Amino acid sequence: MFEKVLIANRGEVALRIHRACREMGIKTVAVHSEADANAMHVRLADEAVCIGPARAADSYLNKSAIISAATITGVDAIHPGYGFLSEDADFAEMVEEHGIAFIGPKPEQIRMMGDKLKAREFAKECGLPVVEGSDALQSIDDAKEKAATIGYPIIIKAKAGGGGKGMKIANNEQEIATAYMMARAEAKASFSSDEVYMEKYLQNPRHIEVQILADSYGHVVCLGERDCSIQRQNQKIIEETPSPALNEQQRKELCELAKSAMEKIGYVSAGTLEFLFENGKFYFLEMNTRLQVEHPITEAVSGIDIVREQLRIADGAKLGYTQDDIKLNGCAIECRINAEDPETFVPNAGKITEWHAPGGLGVRVDSEIYSGYKIPPFYDSMIAKLIVHGRTRNGVLMRLHRALEEFVIDGVKTTIPLHQKIIAQPEYIDGLYDIHWLENNIRNFR
Ligand code: ADP
């Protein structure tokens, strides 16, 4: 097994990876920006290397600095976490060229899935249903022509998209020009590529995704689905498994579809296939070739440590079980807690003066925060994930209420009050929500 792994990330996911490594007897190397010298995972790691100034472009996205840190410390492998370089095929290739294992899929798989148009082509070849859409758009007139064939509303999306960026909706021909220009500008700024394409905009879908694990010997297992429909500005806020919207038959169908697609490309490592689900039909959206923020809810119901499996698979181990061995127990919900004003969503970095995380049966908190920690203003505002597991959805909701009530975070504003309001809404309690439900109803929450 690997002896030493470099964690090319920060925040809760860096700590998450550190924990898996420690439990496997693997030494860890933390890399951090000047702003993160006091981070928890930096303190806990066996070694730490400062890779640059606070700005992510100068540190967590600085490939050569990370490779140098890996070479100097003599690691066997690099885990990229999520975000930053986790879906950068060039980085994965660089890592391998230096004789270091990249903990994730093969660079060509990352490259293909990072191009949403190629991913759509692949999905069609595998028999995965996709939303009606276009190829790359050439001009405003081209966009108008294609939208007329597909039918309004449509959504213009960045080919290299991610994180909900570079997506603009047009409800009619008059809105096309603005949507096209804005999507291109945002795509250019976020992904340095202004290529965009178009999809039919579904009105009331749910976002349902499937967790896959695959080893290098062609074994693929599906660890069930996650419903991530509670979103704001295309960003997930609460996720749950199983989805309250699926019956056993649909769940099985989705799992089989995802598995056969992964077998077809010989996918290796953990991955997630994302779908929209509307009127009983699934539509493939994209694949994420990395660990997801919401992976712990799958761990809760499956009992499988996904990061541990990523490490084992990267080291050439076989999956020690088949699909039949996987039993998904109960229900789990995750709340993403952000350091933001719960009404305006303005980020609220600062010093944590008091911190008390909830505990007890079925409660897990993944966070880097400790009392006295100063949240730097340079990065994502998510500061904790609260994951609650139990036998029934009702039981989990009760447990979630009490866990949110126990949570004490002083010094910065957080989105805990928003979570408390969401889980008290009758539609949420009944599992009757789609991707627009939160934004359409948030004004009426009391
Ligand atoms: P990203 O990679 O930027 O996260 P995705 O393609 O995964 O982009 O889409 C993110 C979210 O945007 C989805 O969960 C959904 O809420 C919304 N979305 C994307 N495509 C469509 C579509 N064709 N119709 C309706 N909503 C969509």
Side-chain angles (χ1 to χ4, degrees), residues 6 29 31 49-51 62-75 78 91 94 98 100:
L6 182 142
V29 176
V31 291
V49 182
C50 180
I51 47 166
N62 185 343
K63 297 176 201 171
S64 45
I66 295 171
I67 301 274
S68 304
T71 315
I72 292 165
T73 52
V75 299
I78 296 183
F91 178 65
M94 254 173 101
H98 284 77
I100 300 166

Side-chain angles (χ1 to χ4, degrees), residues 116 157 162-164 199-200 202 207 231 234 274 286 435:
K116 292 196 177 197
K157 300 171 82 165
E199 276 176 12
K200 170 102 191 149
L202 301 184
H207 172 118
Q231 299 184 355
N234 302 315
E274 298 191 331
E286 66 160 344
I435 58 168

Side-chain angles (χ1 to χ4, degrees), residues 87 116 120 131-132 154-155 157-158 160-167 169 191 197-208 228-229 231 233-236 274-276 278 285-288 290 435-436:
E87 288 178 303
K116 292 196 177 197
R120 275 173 65 88
V131 194
E132 199 182 338
I154 57 93
I155 182 167
K157 300 171 82 165
K165 296 205 184 77
M167 291 197 286
I169 299 158
F191 316 110
Y197 68 103
M198 178 186 293
E199 276 176 12
K200 170 102 191 149
Y201 185 65
L202 301 184
Q203 307 275 316
N204 309 103
R206 297 180 77 114
H207 172 118
I208 297 181
C228 311
S229 305
Q231 299 184 355
Q233 296 185 343
N234 302 315
Q235 304 266 6
K236 299 164 187 169
E274 298 191 331
F275 296 83
L276 291 176
E278 191 181 62
L285 254 193
E286 66 160 344
M287 176 167 187
N288 291 320
R290 55 166 169 84
I435 58 168
H436 305 302

Side-chain angles (χ1 to χ4, degrees), residues 9-16 18-19 36 38-44 355 365-371 373 382-385:
N9 215 300
R10 67 176 302 281
E12 70 84 21
V13 71
L15 183 57
R16 168 71 189 89
H18 168 83
R19 285 173 170 158
D36 276 337
N38 291 320
M40 180 66 91
H41 83 278
V42 175
R43 294 179 172 196
L44 291 175
W355 169 263
V365 175
D366 277 19
S367 173
E368 275 244 305
I369 306 295
Y370 53 88
S371 228
Y373 175 76
M382 190 179 77
I383 54 166
K385 306 190 304 202

